[in-house]
Amino acid sequence: MGRAVMVGRGPTGAGVLVLSLLIILTTESCRAQKGDGCGPTVLGPISGTLSSLGYPRTYPNNSVCEWEITVPRGKRIHFRFASLDIEDSDCQVNYLRLYNGIGPERSEIVKYCSLDLKVNEQIESSGNQVTVQFMSGVHHNGQGFYMSYSTTEHSDLITCLDKGTDFPEAEFSKYCPAGCLTSAKEVSGTIPNGYRESSPLCAAAVHAGVVSNSEGGTISVVSSKGIPHYEGTLANNVTSTGGTLSNSLFTFKTNGCYGTLGLESGGVADTQLSASSVWDWRTVTGLHVWGPSGARLKKTGLPWAPSQSDQQQWLQVDLKREKMIAGIITTGSTMREHQYFVSAYRVLYSNNGKQWSAYSEANSIQDKVFQGNVNYLHEVRNNFIPPVEARFVRINPTSWHQRIALKLELLGCQVRWTKTRLFTPSRNSPHPASTKCPPHAGQTTHTPDIRNTTMPPHVGKDLVLIAILVPVLVMLLTALILTAACACHWRNKKKSSEGTFDLPQWDRTDWWKSMKQLLPSRMMEMEDSIRYSTSEVGRLSGRSAVPRLHAEPAEYAQPLVSGVTTLGARSTFKPDEGPDPGYSDPNLYDAPVSSDVYHSYAEPLPASGSEYATPIVVDMGCHPSGGSALNQPCTVRSFMGSGPTSLLTRTDSGQSEGSAYDTPKNANEQTTPTEDLTYQVPQKSNHKS
């Protein structure tokens, strides 16, 4: 980094001209910035930040500073102003100028001289080199200026003072320049909870570990509803403060490589921890060993402490395999009675445990010294940007309070072999020579980190499309299969229902049969009985053509009706089970039916009786049941007396006074006497009315 050329203060007028000539004539091996009016500055090969001395307070009188910026060939530079406040009483000696080029051949781009000037447009160069010149004479007002630059490929460049409230979008992406820790704006909040909307975006991104202060970079921001309380922490050389409820907050998307690597959880065994030395402290209560096994974050007890405190001490972690290491969290002793902690340290890494490289920031050849703890209790996080790929990690304390004492956790993830490995700078690694000199930083900068974020890694549009289409296709295929199965099932049921004498489909199911037991008897008799007229029965060729109807037993018998026979599900008469052997009489009904009135039901079955009721036997011929024919007329009388309502209807051939019921016949037209008459068959009457 080139040294700053301090030019003495002088009077206005001719004195200022002398100061300008001194600046132009001064030559150095690396011309980055020169003069006595330069404020905190970071000049990087891609982006950077410039400010006047004392900003945001008033800049000094009779001061001058020049910055020479060079970016890679073929690229151009554009500038964005965060603040421009230069007293305009005498614009000959108070101004800010931008030039195309460096040296005597440069040409002016623009000149500013005004108080509280709002410059919304970007100022763009014509080449890859720009000179920025700030000069002041005697003045009474004005804060000076604060500006950022980047190559023109980053058209979404913002300044270090832009806050979350300046962007109303729910999600957006911007480019932060290098050097935003030079801003004096306060950051409130931390990850993973988020940052207050009033926090400067780029400084919060450095605190979160999304970008490096020395390089800058693109940030992806997500805004959401605020929370009641914001926590303050120290991370990457940025101290955030606590805060109360706000309307909204913002956080950042990351690549997700910020998980813990096993020290706190125990995934790293004690045998994987080693140290240069161990402090064995003997007291009256015994021997206290401050060994490396105690160097686990959040573990109670003694931390690691070396036998003596010097810069040759180290604590080593063996991860057993190469991993991507993205950051580190440290604490002190965490013991009130021993308030020891490490305030600064270096990080070394190796893949074989023999050849070691010290971590350094991009565009730097010096070992990076990380800011450590500021007390013995609270955690401090530092990130590696870019991450390093290594198996062994060593922590080398460079400064401490009272004595060295340390607890830690490493952050990172498994090596992603499918992706291009990240560049890991080391002491011997060549650095890009995109500028004539390395970047200059007015303040110490530190690499950022993010252990956790509230946003998951970005998912590609192709993956989102697949995640939507696959379930939809599966659902459509399932619907087609179910539709085809239902159609096939319905067609089979329709075929099986043909030739069932118009019985409802639901009447033939076991479910309906079981439900009929719960319905009233008369309702079931009305709904479930199947009737056949004598004309329909007469067309049947024989007994085998009569359908076999099975019915559930019921409490009462069905009445026998002349002309129309009803056999319902609640009949107590035993259903026809087929013709007896040798029986071939095609005339199913050969006896006339009486027109007298009978009671509608037989007597109820006894509680312990047989399955079927005793048949009602009426001797229509007035002779013993063993007789062979009906020879005598006889009047059929009601069992319970005459009733006003007749339940017997006329047959198709008319009503006869001599109707009777007979017993079944055998093949020789002879009646077969039996003691157990299980059914009665009405016979066709030969009596003419």
Side-chain angles (χ1 to χ4, degrees), residues 453-474:
T453 61
T454 57
M455 297 303 300
H458 177 70
V459 179
K461 293 183 179 179
D462 293 340
L463 294 179
V464 173
L465 186 61
I466 292 174
I468 295 174
L469 289 180
V470 169
V472 171
L473 292 176
V474 171

Side-chain angles (χ1 to χ4, degrees), residues 86-326:
I86 300 174
E87 187 175 299
D88 56 357
S89 59
D90 186 357
C91 288
Q92 294 296 323
V93 293
N94 293 283
Y95 63 83
L96 177 70
R97 266 186 183 151
L98 278 70
Y99 297 89
N100 277 317
I102 295 175
E105 303 297 328
R106 64 191 183 184
S107 60
E108 183 178 302
I109 302 175
V110 66
K111 178 182 178 180
Y112 295 106
C113 174
S114 178
L115 288 172
D116 195 21
L117 181 62
K118 303 297 182 183
V119 182
N120 297 322
E121 69 276 4
Q122 292 183 346
I123 310 302
E124 187 172 322
S125 69
S126 60
N128 69 320
Q129 291 184 322
V130 170
T131 299
V132 179
Q133 185 184 79
F134 172 69
M135 187 172 289
S136 70
V138 176
H139 64 282
H140 303 284
N141 299 308
Q143 296 179 335
F145 74 96
Y146 192 47
M147 63 187 296
S148 302
Y149 74 89
S150 74
T151 55
T152 53
E153 59 189 342
H154 301 295
S155 58
D156 53 351
L157 171 69
I158 61 175
T159 71
C160 298
L161 300 186
D162 288 329
K163 304 183 292 294
T165 52
D166 296 331
F167 304 96
E169 300 92 340
E171 293 189 27
F172 57 91
S173 178
K174 299 294 178 182
Y175 185 83
C176 286
C180 280
L181 292 192
T182 58
S183 168
K185 295 294 182 179
E186 186 177 82
V187 176
S188 178
T190 187
I191 54 170
N193 298 327
Y195 299 87
R196 288 179 63 96
E197 78 275 21
S198 59
S199 301
L201 285 170
C202 294
V206 172
H207 181 273
V210 178
V211 296
S212 167
N213 181 68
S214 63
E215 293 183 279
T218 300
I219 59 173
S220 296
V221 185
V222 179
S223 300
S224 59
K225 186 178 179 180
I227 57 177
H229 176 72
Y230 294 89
E231 182 183 357
T233 60
L234 174 59
N236 301 306
N237 207 28
V238 180
T239 301
S240 69
T241 61
T244 56
L245 177 67
S246 66
N247 293 329
S248 63
L249 59 82
F250 63 86
T251 186
F252 304 94
K253 294 181 181 180
T254 69
N255 61 6
C257 189
Y258 296 99
T260 57
L261 294 183
L263 276 82
E264 179 184 345
S265 64
V268 174
D270 290 345
T271 56
Q272 296 173 240
L273 301 174
S274 58
S276 56
S277 63
V278 174
W279 184 26
D280 295 333
W281 184 27
R282 188 175 299 276
T283 64
V284 294
T285 58
L287 181 64
H288 302 276
V289 180
W290 298 52
S293 61
R296 300 176 183 272
L297 193 69
K298 300 186 188 311
K299 180 181 179 180
T300 58
L302 298 175
W304 167 72
S307 58
Q308 56 185 5
S309 296
D310 57 45
Q311 294 188 358
Q312 306 304 316
Q313 306 300 322
W314 48 263
L315 174 68
Q316 178 175 306
V317 181
D318 179 7
L319 298 174
K320 291 298 185 183
R321 67 183 64 181
E322 292 184 10
K323 294 186 178 181
M324 201 68 72
I325 304 170

Side-chain angles (χ1 to χ4, degrees), residues 42-97:
V42 173
L43 303 179
I46 302 297
S47 64
T49 303
L50 302 79
S51 65
S52 58
L53 185 62
Y55 181 87
R57 299 181 299 274
T58 302
Y59 52 93
N61 292 325
N62 303 320
S63 62
V64 65
C65 184
E66 277 194 3
W67 296 266
E68 295 176 347
I69 303 169
T70 302
V71 298
R73 292 183 182 275
K75 297 183 180 296
R76 292 176 298 164
I77 309 170
H78 60 181
F79 296 84
R80 185 175 288 279
F81 285 91
S83 176
L84 183 58
D85 189 32
I86 300 174
E87 187 175 299
D88 56 357
S89 59
D90 186 357
C91 288
Q92 294 296 323
V93 293
N94 293 283
Y95 63 83
L96 177 70
R97 266 186 183 151

Side-chain angles (χ1 to χ4, degrees), residues 557-562 573 591-603 615-621 634-649 655-662 680 682:
Q558 287 273 19
L560 298 177
V561 183
S562 175
F573 286 92
V593 180
S594 172
S595 61
D596 291 349
V597 178
Y598 296 91
H599 194 274
S600 58
Y601 296 103
E603 291 185 358
I616 304 172
V617 181
V618 180
D619 190 354
M620 302 299 296
C634 184
T635 302
V636 180
R637 298 185 179 276
S638 171
F639 283 81
M640 304 297 295
S642 302
T645 305
S646 177
L647 297 178
L648 300 178
T649 61
Q655 180 178 346
S656 173
E657 291 292 337
S659 301
Y661 289 88
D662 198 2
Q680 300 148 333

